[in-house]
Amino acid sequence: MKEKHAFIRTAVKNGLSNLDEIRESYNSFADGGFKPDSATINNPIYNANAVNPIYDYMRDKGLTAIQAAALMGNLAVESYLNADLKQIGGPAYGLIQAEAGRQKAMRSYNAVPYQFGSNLTPEEQQQLDYIIDKG
């Protein structure tokens, strides 16, 4: 219930005032929903196959539905859920488009052994573990 209250407060702060819209948004997030915008979905580098495995992995790591969905939104905007994405003309790389020292730390982060059956690549899991554990 605490999570629902926080979600409603956030929805209202962000301009949702119609109760049906708030309810639809909450139910989507509570059900593990993630709705990227059409520009993201239609981008040829968008990795639609990663949506459920990444979301499920974050939930298995203890993130709430709202936290996981919010992080999914950020990752979709930053990298189109593509762990191998390199920034054009820049040094950024990966799911969070990490630069310089953060990129090096993320790429060498091995605190969690690879989890077989997660439907993630080792690269995706390593980056997610870093994002979840180190932020």
Side-chain angles (χ1 to χ4, degrees):
M1 189 63 149
K2 182 178 180 182
E3 194 174 291
K4 188 174 190 176
H5 179 68
F7 184 89
I8 292 169
R9 238 190 342 229
T10 302
V12 171
K13 275 186 188 177
N14 288 302
L16 284 179
S17 57
N18 180 306
L19 185 57
D20 289 332
E21 288 177 350
I22 293 172
R23 187 177 293 119
E24 181 183 338
S25 294
Y26 175 79
N27 288 336
S28 172
F29 284 114
D31 292 340
F34 162 67
K35 295 181 181 179
D37 62 12
S38 61
T40 300
I41 291 171
N42 294 323
N43 190 305
I45 60 173
Y46 177 64
N47 186 4
N49 295 330
V51 172
N52 289 335
I54 288 175
Y55 180 84
D56 292 343
Y57 189 77
M58 289 190 290
R59 294 287 287 143
D60 289 345
K61 288 290 190 170
L63 272 64
T64 66
I66 292 173
Q67 290 169 329
L71 189 51
M72 289 291 295
N74 183 273
L75 298 178
V77 169
E78 288 290 332
S79 66
Y80 299 97
L81 304 179
N82 186 335
D84 295 322
L85 185 67
K86 294 178 183 152
Q87 182 184 43
I88 297 172
Y93 173 83
L95 290 170
I96 58 170
Q97 291 295 286
E99 295 184 11
R102 187 175 226 189
Q103 182 184 130
K104 184 178 180 181
M106 179 181 69
R107 296 204 38 117
S108 63
Y109 186 74
N110 288 313
V112 181
Y114 179 66
Q115 183 178 334
F116 291 95
S118 67
N119 294 319
L120 296 171
T121 67
E123 179 75 18
E124 289 168 335
Q125 182 185 323
Q126 183 180 26
Q127 289 184 33
L128 286 170
D129 286 340
Y130 178 82
I131 292 165
I132 293 166
D133 295 341
K134 300 293 184 184

